[in-house]
Amino acid sequence: MAIELLVTNSALVIQGDPLAGWRGLSAEQRYNEPGAGQVTLTAYPEVMAQLQPGNRLMVIRDRAIWMAGPLEVPQDYEWDLEGAADPGVVTVSFTDDLARVAGYLTYPEPAKTWAAQKVTADVVRKLTSTSETIIRTLVNENCGPGALAARRIPQLVLDTVAGVGSTRTLSTRAEPLLDACRTVAVPDGLGFRTRQVGAQIRFGVYQPRDLSGSARFAAGLGNLRKVKFALSAPTATSELVMGGEDPAQQVAAGEPANQRAYVEVTSGAQAAWYRVEKLVQSSGKTDADGELTQDGVLALGNDNPQASLSTETVDTEDLRAGRDYSLGDKVAVVLPTGLTVLDVVRRITLTAEDPDTGEKVTAVIGTGDTTTSASLVGTVRQLAYRLGQIEARGR
């Protein structure tokens, strides 16, 4: 497959000829977070002229945009009389356009400038709708077409409505925009992304697919490279969520003292392990619309039994990233023990040494961080038991 690199400005206007003589390309797509990429180039004057602050890099694979976004480190230049090419080399680090969205906070009153926000401490932006609508609204009013002119990301528009997600409520105040988006995306298993289409950067929400019946990875299929797993105890089994405001502080400020709100959310893991309590403070929220319960459920996602399963796969002719599966899709991994694990595609990385030596595409299924799915915890336990039995027989 042919790979082409093009530089554009923030308005998506191409700045010159395709970059030639590149090497060491890596472009990694990431699920619900900005991607990351790097490439090394010979520092010809015409190349350096394109690598300017504010410009973007497009990685085009087989005539389709694999990844596109701003240059994070436009020029990391090096010259060495002994070994470098005559003009030296320049290493470029880049990301995708979701990084631009990640650079924003949620304004309590997005129609006003920061200096014009209300001075009362309890002002929050509260939204009740489907999770997709909430995410689209947050992006639109903070950095999209509906935002203040000074906050709009050039060429950013909202993608077609997917019609996904359930009804939820979100309260947010000056928090990272993508964190607020993830709060409502995670319970519904939704993904969000940017993609360049013509002269537009489209932000959209989507429902990943369950491809576990058709997208399978196994050593025998030639598309499974590595498997790692770990299991540890939960850090909390009972999330003690406290909402409302501190009555003492409200009285001191001359305001009416509102009552605290308390909700306990308990994990099923408590029966298998033991009780561990953790305080979750959700200031300014009540459970009238389920916000405190939602915060407790989200906290359990981090505190449940820590089962980490990470696999690395590789593209084959029968199963290709972007064509047969994408970020967020659930796929099947057949482990060397014979156990089949179903998990989500978290990262997909395109690498190539140079334009002439071909490419390699690998995917990370599961995560090297902690994953807390109850079914995954059970799978890891089975895997640990089987490996223990294999080791015992080998003695």
Side-chain angles (χ1 to χ4, degrees):
M1 296 289 182
I3 297 176
E4 188 175 56
L5 305 182
L6 290 171
V7 175
T8 78
N9 61 14
S10 60
L12 279 57
V13 177
I14 295 174
Q15 297 299 286
D17 293 331
L19 300 177
W22 56 263
R23 49 208 178 273
L25 171 68
S26 173
E28 181 178 82
Q29 303 172 352
R30 297 175 177 174
Y31 181 50
N32 285 359
E33 61 178 309
Q38 191 172 83
V39 66
T40 298
L41 303 143
T42 302
Y44 297 119
E46 60 272 20
V47 170
M48 300 298 284
Q50 295 189 54
L51 303 178
Q52 299 299 319
N55 283 351
R56 303 165 63 257
L57 184 67
M58 295 169 54
V59 178
I60 300 173
R61 179 198 185 208
D62 192 28
R63 300 182 181 180
I65 298 175
W66 172 266
M67 191 165 126
L71 303 178
E72 291 190 306
V73 182
Q75 299 182 15
D76 186 353
Y77 174 77
E78 182 177 355
W79 179 84
D80 185 343
L81 181 62
E82 296 295 328
D86 187 41
V89 297
V90 59
T91 299
V92 178
S93 297
F94 58 96
T95 181
D96 61 28
D97 290 308
L98 193 60
R100 294 290 305 273
V101 180
Y104 285 75
L105 301 179
T106 58
Y107 275 23
E109 298 174 289
K112 299 180 181 179
T113 66
W114 183 252
Q117 300 292 307
K118 287 182 180 177
V119 298
T120 50
D122 60 346
V123 173
V124 297
R125 183 76 170 99
K126 190 165 186 175
L127 298 166
T128 299
S129 188
T130 65
S131 45
E132 178 188 15
T133 300
I134 291 173
I135 293 169
R136 288 171 60 91
T137 299
L138 288 172
V139 171
N140 179 55
E141 66 187 18
N142 284 287
C143 62
L148 295 172
R151 302 185 75 206
R152 293 175 196 158
I153 295 175
Q155 315 305 122
L156 181 68
V157 299
L158 297 180
D159 213 335
T160 304
V161 174
V164 296
S166 59
T167 300
R168 300 198 173 274
T169 295
L170 175 74
S171 294
T172 180
R173 177 175 58 194
E175 69 174 310
L177 178 53
L178 287 193
D179 286 356
C181 292
R182 292 189 194 98
T183 297
V184 291
V186 169
D188 285 332
L190 299 184
F192 50 81
R193 62 193 169 195
T194 55
R195 60 192 185 104
Q196 180 177 337
V197 179
Q200 293 181 330
I201 299 171
R202 298 183 183 179
F203 176 91
V205 181
Y206 66 100
Q207 180 71 66
R209 301 163 294 177
D210 186 347
L211 302 178
S212 54
S214 58
R216 298 177 65 83
F217 297 89
L221 297 175
N223 56 16
L224 182 62
R225 296 169 57 101
K226 295 180 182 179
V227 177
K228 295 179 64 178
F229 79 94
L231 178 65
S232 59
T235 55
T237 60
S238 288
E239 306 291 350
L240 308 180
V241 188
M242 182 168 63
E245 302 290 350
D246 185 345
Q249 291 184 1
Q250 290 178 313
V251 171
E255 300 173 354
N258 297 322
Q259 296 294 316
R260 282 287 197 184
Y262 299 92
V263 169
E264 179 177 353
V265 181
T266 302
S267 167
Q270 183 168 297
W273 293 85
Y274 38 77
R275 182 179 178 89
V276 184
E277 298 176 346
K278 180 179 178 181
L279 177 64
V280 178
Q281 299 199 46
S282 298
S283 297
K285 299 179 182 179
T286 68
D287 206 44
D289 44 24
E291 278 194 282
L292 297 184
T293 301
Q294 179 173 281
D295 285 354
V297 171
L298 289 172
L300 282 178
N302 294 323
D303 297 331
N304 268 332
Q306 307 296 293
S308 171
L309 178 64
S310 177
T311 64
E312 183 180 298
T313 70
V314 64
D315 258 11
T316 65
E317 287 302 318
D318 295 327
L319 191 60
R320 294 178 59 82
R323 184 191 70 186
D324 303 308
Y325 68 92
S326 301
L327 290 173
D329 290 339
K330 182 184 290 185
V331 298
V333 181
V334 181
L335 302 177
T337 61
L339 192 67
T340 299
V341 179
L342 309 183
D343 211 331
V344 171
V345 179
R346 301 289 177 180
R347 300 183 180 187
I348 306 176
T349 305
L350 169 68
T351 58
E353 290 300 318
D354 56 60
D356 301 319
T357 57
E359 66 179 36
K360 180 172 69 175
V361 177
T362 59
V364 174
I365 299 166
T367 174
D369 301 325
T370 52
T371 301
T372 55
S373 163
S375 61
L376 178 57
V377 172
T379 295
V380 170
R381 285 177 178 162
Q382 293 180 50
L383 178 58
Y385 174 78
R386 290 190 184 193
L387 291 180
Q389 294 299 305
I390 292 172
E391 182 178 303
R393 289 197 298 269
R395 291 177 180 174

